[in-house]
Amino acid sequence: MTFTDPFWLVLAIPMAMAFWRWPLPSRLLTVLRCIASVSILLALCGFSIRLATRSGTVVLIADRSLSMPSNCELQQREAADLIHASMPSGDRLAVVSFGERAAVEQSPQAGRFAGFSATVGREASQLADAIDTALSLLDRDESGRILLMSDGLWTGRDIASSAARAAAANVALDYRVVDRPKSGDLAIERIEGPDSARPGESFMLTAWISSPRAQAISYELHRGSAVIARGTRPVPSGVSRLLFRDTAPEHGVCEYLLRVDGEGLDPATENNRARFLVGILGDRPVLCVSATGVSGLPSLLRRGGLNVKSQAVGDCRWSLEELAGYAAVIVENTPASRIGRTGMDNLAAWVAKGGGGLILTGGRDSFGPGGYYKSSLDPVIPVSMELRREHRKLALAIVVALDRSGSMAMTVPGGRAKMDLANLATAEVIDLLSPMDQFGCVAVDSAAHEIVPLSAVTNKGEMRSRVLQIDSAGGGIFIYEALKNAARMLAPAEAGAKHIVLFADAADSEQPGDYKALVAKCVKAGITISVVGLGTERDSDAELLKDVARRGGGQCMFTNVAEELPRLFAQDTLVVARSAFLDTPVAVRPVAGLMVLTRQPLGDFPAIGGYNLCYLRPTANLAVASKDEYTAPVVASWHVGLGRVLCYTGEVDGKHTGAIAKWKNVGEFFTSLARWTAGRQQSLGRGILATQELRNGVCRVELHLDPDRETTAFSSLPELTVLSARPGESAVSRKVRMNWASADVLLAELPISGSETLLNTVSSPGIGQTTLAPVCLPYSPEYLPQTTGRGQNALEQLASSTGGRERVNLSDIWRDLPRKSRGVSLASYLLIVAIVAFLLEVLQRRTALLSVRWRAMPAHWPAALRPSWRLPRLSLPRGRKKTEQIGAKSSSETATTAKSPASVPEKTTDGKGFSDVLDQARQRARRRTGR
């Protein structure tokens, strides 16, 4: 018996005083009122009782990591169906899946499991998190049991603490082993070597090979794209080793990849390949990237004393391990599309979080026309690239023809539909335009629908509202109808530039009709056409879209990432506006900010042949400005996070370079810019050493301090800026605080999951910063060679510590739910009792029916069961005095004793009969009640 809100019991005191101060006229009414009042009071207090019950919840934990068999999800789904089929009424089933993270697939409910839908990541087995998540789904007051379907191989936090929490909550962990075949697995157990080396230093790499039997294996060791070792050798059953020797190159990060192959079938070939990273210490070079890899800038910088590596943009992977080998990257007049979204994401993260440097040079394929506006690099660049009305030469009339076919209703990661992102991209075009421009929009499926008529961009809000309400209507996009209606809208426009942006699905573009003749008429009328295709150049309708753009004199851009659409629409608008790159020679002048970069005066600057019109951001440093009407930045720089970024808006090596190419100080000028961007060699100062090592899948970063130091070199604890990325994915960053491991060592432990690479930067006020060599695991821990019984033993220990067992017959799990007392609230029942007592009280007050029925009990009932109260005494008419009532009573008693009851009529003291008194009482009751 418990109370959830016992403070309501204080009402018992005023309730008792009310009963004492204002008593009711009869005991029956008093009892009914007490029952109603006490019931309401107990209901307010949350009165409940505890009852023993076996009903409860079973939570199925499903391991979906890479270490599981390929058909594991099918087995787990069948297990969930079997458990649900045998579930008694009143019980509930929940499902939790886990990999790199744990997710609730189904909350506790009586319904059937619909299947797995959560994205948990498969390159880790966070079993401890899964157990904690399952425990959070169980109510403390009900019985619960957990069934784990896994191979028992876990990563991350130790499962012992989670098992202890389950045991404390009296929740048993049952298990069923589901694992992949183990026989015949040839694997690289681990690979060892230094995490860093100096240029020209020789070192050893040791690979430990686990073989299920004696056999001959072939091996091949790559450093980057070059093979440095290859051969065949016999290995015994068990673990043996392979030794390799290599010499560190002059710069960069060495990425080694070892491959081994055996004689028979291998159930897990993923652990036959392992990679290893070795960072090269010393000064890091500057990477110069251009569209073709051929440029005069690298040789110019080399003559200035810089270590420069030249590379074509197509040869760059833009991974963390590649970027970590350079001090700065120069992107020379290269379109953003050649770098790619992931490349720009990693480049921006490496600059801001990894302390790298970036130089972006101008040209027709750079800045706004190159597609950098609204890209991930846009926020780190010290200049902005929007269009400003005061700097426009020609008005622009633009019509966007949007694909609204059925394929545009599909959702993309993040929950938004493709149509929503296309609408946002069109709204981006509206934002770039000014009132001097005209805008129109037509949505096309099997017919054209005019959304925004061609009109001046004077009310952007209304135009945006109409565009953002476009939804998918099914069918396919009719190319001819889209172009015909867009051209019809543009025909009466008088703007200096007329342009159509056709957006279409590269795999769902239909009915082109005689588009060639139509496009030719558009070109003759001064209308250009660009195409943005959602898909790839290999899709079925890609060639059609390319031909439309080629004949229309515009761009053709493809993307299979819908989130890229706003950037591509903005890029095309900036190109068509023709004010983003000025191709006429212009004089420039240095300003005071140049001394921050060059540390010396360079004299007067010659003219440049053209530049990208941009605008200085508020906190950026202006070094060189144009001397034309725009006074635009030609050289601007700033610090972004831990790194440095510089922009030269002129073209370095091309037909628009201008007279600066023959300037006597041109080498010193560009060398100074590159040297400032690369920064000084990173150091933590004297008496401080940063180290890192991999241990059991965890990267341990240690900061060693001089034991003989007199004072601590920093005022606050150092922190790590951690960049992590997987191949082909964008980097993410986080900060980790280092803690004291001993009197002279600070430590931070960073778990690594799967194939990700970590790039750690140690920084603290007063000691500076340093970026350590990148680290990675040989392969996902999910593919580690399995020791016989290791997973089984882990599951058995979990079960034994919590009172569980191996579950062979899944349907029996409901019978093994423990009996557990559960609180049952009586508040609703108490309120029902209070209502019934109140209604009975009303009935008694109006009719006195309950007391009459009670007095009419059979005569043979025992006296103990008869009520001790009587009918309420009828009061005399008002106005009588108490003395008269007493006198009447005494005279009545005298008359009664003097005469026989049978012969004497009933009389009152005022001469009226008893029936008359009852009549008067009834009349008074009618007047009081209104009946």
Side-chain angles (χ1 to χ4, degrees):
M1 181 173 68
T2 57
F3 296 100
T4 58
D5 300 310
F7 58 89
W8 289 107
L9 290 174
V10 299
L11 296 179
I13 299 175
M15 187 182 298
M17 294 180 64
F19 276 108
W20 174 77
R21 179 66 180 82
W22 296 287
L24 296 176
S26 70
R27 293 183 179 179
L28 180 59
L29 293 177
T30 301
V31 171
L32 293 175
R33 179 68 61 84
C34 286
I35 292 174
S37 301
V38 172
S39 298
I40 293 175
L41 179 61
L42 293 177
L44 286 174
C45 295
F47 181 67
S48 62
I49 59 175
R50 302 192 70 84
L51 299 176
T53 180
R54 195 184 294 274
S55 63
T57 301
V58 169
V59 183
L60 173 64
I61 297 180
D63 186 349
R64 297 171 59 196
S65 63
L66 288 174
S67 63
M68 297 288 288
S70 58
N71 64 340
C72 65
E73 290 191 8
L74 177 61
Q75 298 183 42
Q76 292 159 350
R77 174 71 183 274
E78 292 175 349
D81 292 341
L82 182 59
I83 295 173
H84 179 268
S86 60
M87 182 175 64
S89 176
D91 290 329
R92 300 180 299 171
L93 173 65
V95 179
V96 172
S97 66
F98 72 95
E100 296 174 34
R101 64 194 68 88
V104 178
E105 300 280 359
Q106 175 177 292
S107 58
Q109 57 183 268
R112 184 178 179 181
F113 178 50
F116 297 102
S117 60
T119 302
V120 296
R122 304 193 63 193
E123 292 191 337
S125 300
Q126 299 288 347
L127 178 55
D129 293 347
I131 295 175
D132 291 344
T133 302
L135 290 174
S136 68
L137 298 178
L138 298 176
D139 193 337
R140 293 182 179 180
D141 295 332
E142 68 176 7
S143 300
R145 205 171 183 96
I146 295 175
L147 174 62
L148 176 60
M149 295 189 68
S150 171
D151 56 5
L153 304 176
W154 54 271
T155 58
R157 293 190 299 114
D158 193 350
I159 60 177
S161 59
S162 299
R165 279 189 285 272
N170 195 26
V171 176
L173 287 172
D174 297 335
Y175 69 92
R176 171 177 277 193
V177 179
V178 181
D179 57 4
R180 64 176 185 235
K182 305 180 182 66
S183 61
D185 184 15
L186 174 69
I188 303 172
E189 191 172 86
R190 66 185 186 276
I191 185 169
E192 298 174 347
D195 66 333
S196 61
R198 296 192 175 276
E201 179 182 355
S202 297
F203 55 88
M204 301 292 293
L205 289 176
T206 305
W208 299 89
I209 309 299
S210 173
S211 177
R213 61 185 179 276
Q215 61 178 320
I217 65 169
S218 60
Y219 61 88
E220 193 172 81
L221 179 64
H222 294 251
R223 187 180 69 191
S225 58
V227 178
I228 63 174
R230 179 187 290 141
T232 303
R233 61 165 290 181
V235 294
S237 175
V239 179
S240 57
R241 66 178 181 176
L242 296 177
L243 294 176
F244 304 96
R245 180 179 177 180
D246 195 20
T247 301
E250 294 183 359
H251 56 77
V253 174
C254 297
E255 181 177 7
Y256 294 92
L257 178 63
L258 174 64
R259 297 179 180 177
V260 297
D261 292 302
E263 296 175 343
L265 294 177
D266 196 332
T269 58
E270 293 83 359
N271 55 23
N272 292 9
R273 305 193 322 167
R275 66 185 187 126
F276 189 78
L277 301 176
V278 178
I280 307 303
L281 302 177
D283 293 337
R284 294 174 295 169
V286 174
L287 174 64
C288 185
V289 177
S290 59
T292 61
V294 178
S295 171
L297 181 59
S299 60
L300 184 67
L301 297 178
R302 292 189 188 102
R303 289 197 298 268
L306 285 181
N307 184 7
V308 180
K309 180 181 179 181
S310 179
Q311 195 165 318
V313 64
D315 298 330
C316 297
R317 294 182 297 135
W318 305 110
S319 61
L320 288 184
E321 50 267 34
E322 182 181 37
L323 292 172
Y326 301 103
V329 174
I330 302 174
V331 180
E332 184 185 349
N333 194 21
T334 301
S337 59
R338 298 288 302 276
I339 299 176
R341 184 185 183 194
T342 301
M344 288 189 290
D345 291 344
N346 290 345
L347 191 56
W350 171 70
V351 170
K353 305 299 183 181
L358 172 65
I359 296 179
L360 191 66
T361 70
R364 291 195 178 275
D365 292 329
S366 186
F367 292 99
Y372 291 92
Y373 182 65
K374 292 296 182 180
S375 70
S376 53
L377 281 177
D378 189 4
V380 305
I381 296 175
V383 294
S384 60
M385 295 169 279
E386 74 274 8
L387 291 176
R388 294 188 180 179
R389 179 184 180 185
E390 62 269 22
H391 295 161
R392 298 283 302 282
K393 299 296 184 181
L394 296 175
L396 171 63
I398 186 169
V399 173
V400 178
L402 286 177
D403 177 3
R404 61 178 294 181
S405 60
S407 61
M408 298 303 294
M410 296 178 61
T411 58
V412 296
R416 292 187 293 186
K418 293 179 180 179
M419 192 75 248
D420 297 333
L421 293 169
N423 296 343
L424 289 173
T426 308
E428 191 64 49
V429 175
I430 298 174
D431 292 340
L432 284 171
L433 301 178
S434 64
M436 68 183 290
D437 301 315
Q438 292 178 295
F439 174 80
C441 180
V442 57
V444 186
D445 39 52
S446 55
H449 310 273
E450 187 177 276
I451 305 300
V452 179
L454 186 68
S455 56
V457 187
T458 55
N459 190 344
K460 292 185 178 182
E462 182 180 353
M463 288 182 171
R464 285 177 57 92
S465 178
R466 290 185 181 182
V467 167
L468 294 176
Q469 293 178 16
I470 302 175
D471 56 359
S472 176
I477 179 173
F478 284 16
I479 297 296
Y480 187 84
E481 287 294 323
L483 295 176
K484 183 181 71 172
N485 283 270
R488 177 185 54 80
M489 294 175 65
L490 279 174
E494 298 181 356
K498 302 177 185 180
H499 188 62
I500 296 174
V501 179
L502 174 63
F503 169 68
D505 193 325
D508 190 24
S509 299
E510 304 173 359
Q511 301 294 329
D514 190 8
Y515 74 92
K516 297 179 181 178
L518 178 60
V519 173
K521 292 180 180 179
C522 290
V523 173
K524 187 176 181 180
I527 300 175
T528 57
I529 303 173
S530 290
V531 178
V532 177
L534 186 59
T536 67
E537 298 185 26
R538 297 180 297 273
D539 288 339
S540 57
D541 298 319
E543 289 301 323
L544 167 64
L545 300 181
K546 287 181 182 180
D547 193 48
V548 170
R550 182 169 52 251
R551 294 175 181 272
Q555 302 183 97
C556 185
M557 298 170 286
F558 292 94
T559 179
N560 55 5
V561 180
E563 290 84 352
E564 285 280 270
L565 292 177
R567 182 183 67 83
L568 297 181
F569 276 51
Q571 176 184 348
D572 187 63
T573 305
L574 289 169
V575 171
V576 175
R578 300 183 187 278
S579 60
F581 183 77
L582 306 181
D583 55 3
T584 57
V586 61
V588 298
R589 62 181 179 87
V591 297
L594 183 61
M595 291 295 293
V596 177
L597 308 177
T598 62
R599 301 292 183 180
Q600 60 180 339
L602 297 176
D604 295 332
F605 276 65
I608 60 177
Y611 70 99
N612 293 83
L613 180 57
C614 300
Y615 307 97
L616 189 71
R617 294 192 189 270
T619 58
N621 170 54
L622 178 62
V624 179
S626 65
K627 296 176 70 174
D628 56 6
E629 58 188 296
Y630 306 123
T631 315
V634 175
V635 176
S637 63
W638 67 357
H639 290 78
V640 177
L642 301 176
R644 302 178 178 188
V645 181
L646 183 142
C647 289
Y648 175 71
T649 59
E651 189 172 12
V652 174
D653 186 14
K655 66 177 182 178
H656 297 294
T657 302
I660 196 173
K662 298 180 180 181
W663 183 36
K664 63 178 181 178
N665 293 328
V666 64
E668 185 65 28
F669 172 63
F670 284 113
T671 302
S672 299
L673 300 186
R675 187 176 287 113
W676 178 87
T677 307
R680 294 175 296 179
Q681 185 175 0
Q682 297 177 342
S683 174
L684 292 178
R686 299 181 60 184
I688 304 176
L689 176 65
T691 63
Q692 65 180 357
E693 66 171 335
L694 282 176
R695 186 183 301 175
N696 297 327
V698 175
C699 178
R700 292 171 51 89
V701 180
E702 295 182 341
L703 200 61
H704 302 267
L705 305 181
D706 185 359
D708 298 330
R709 68 188 185 281
E710 296 181 358
T711 59
T712 302
F714 39 83
S715 57
S716 60
L717 289 177
E719 64 180 10
L720 286 178
T721 301
V722 183
L723 276 177
S724 61
R726 291 175 180 167
E729 297 182 5
S730 300
V732 295
S733 66
R734 66 183 188 274
K735 289 187 178 294
V736 178
R737 183 75 64 181
M738 302 190 73
N739 297 309
W740 291 102
S742 65
D744 303 317
V745 178
L746 291 106
L747 172 67
E749 294 185 330
L750 309 169
I752 305 180
S753 62
S755 58
E756 70 178 351
T757 299
L758 296 188
L759 183 63
N760 304 315
T761 301
V762 184
S763 61
S764 179
I767 67 171
Q769 68 183 47
T770 185
T771 300
L772 305 176
V775 293
C776 68
L777 296 177
Y779 47 81
S780 173
E782 297 300 306
Y783 295 120
L784 283 172
Q786 299 184 18
T787 304
T788 304
R790 183 163 63 96
Q792 176 93 18
N793 293 337
L795 295 176
E796 289 178 354
Q797 291 177 5
L798 274 177
S800 62
S801 62
T802 58
R805 62 185 178 87
E806 184 175 7
R807 183 66 57 179
V808 178
N809 189 350
L810 298 180
S811 59
D812 290 343
I813 194 170
W814 299 106
R815 285 182 287 184
D816 291 338
L817 284 175
R819 281 191 162 281
K820 196 169 185 179
S821 61
R822 184 174 60 181
V824 178
S825 176
L826 300 180
S828 57
Y829 303 104
L830 291 171
L831 291 176
I832 293 175
V833 171
I835 293 173
V836 172
F838 175 74
L839 294 176
L840 291 177
E841 180 182 342
V842 173
L843 177 65
Q844 172 63 16
R845 283 181 176 275
R846 297 297 180 89
T847 65
L849 183 62
L850 298 180
S851 57
V852 171
R853 290 181 178 273
W854 191 255
R855 290 173 60 85
M857 293 170 60
H860 63 272
W861 279 33
L865 298 179
R866 293 180 177 275
S868 58
W869 61 80
R870 299 180 180 179
L871 284 172
R873 182 179 299 173
L874 297 174
S875 59
L876 293 175
R878 296 180 179 179
R880 298 293 185 105
K881 297 182 180 180
K882 187 175 182 178
T883 54
E884 294 178 353
Q885 296 174 3
I886 297 174
K889 181 179 179 180
S890 61
S891 61
S892 175
E893 291 175 353
T894 304
T896 302
T897 56
K899 298 182 180 181
S900 172
S903 58
V904 179
E906 294 181 356
K907 295 286 183 179
T908 61
T909 55
D910 55 0
K912 296 181 180 181
F914 185 70
S915 60
D916 297 333
V917 176
L918 291 178
D919 290 339
Q920 294 178 5
R922 292 190 187 96
Q923 293 175 4
R924 288 196 300 272
R926 291 191 186 100
R927 287 195 300 270
R928 185 171 65 254
T929 62
R931 294 183 178 181

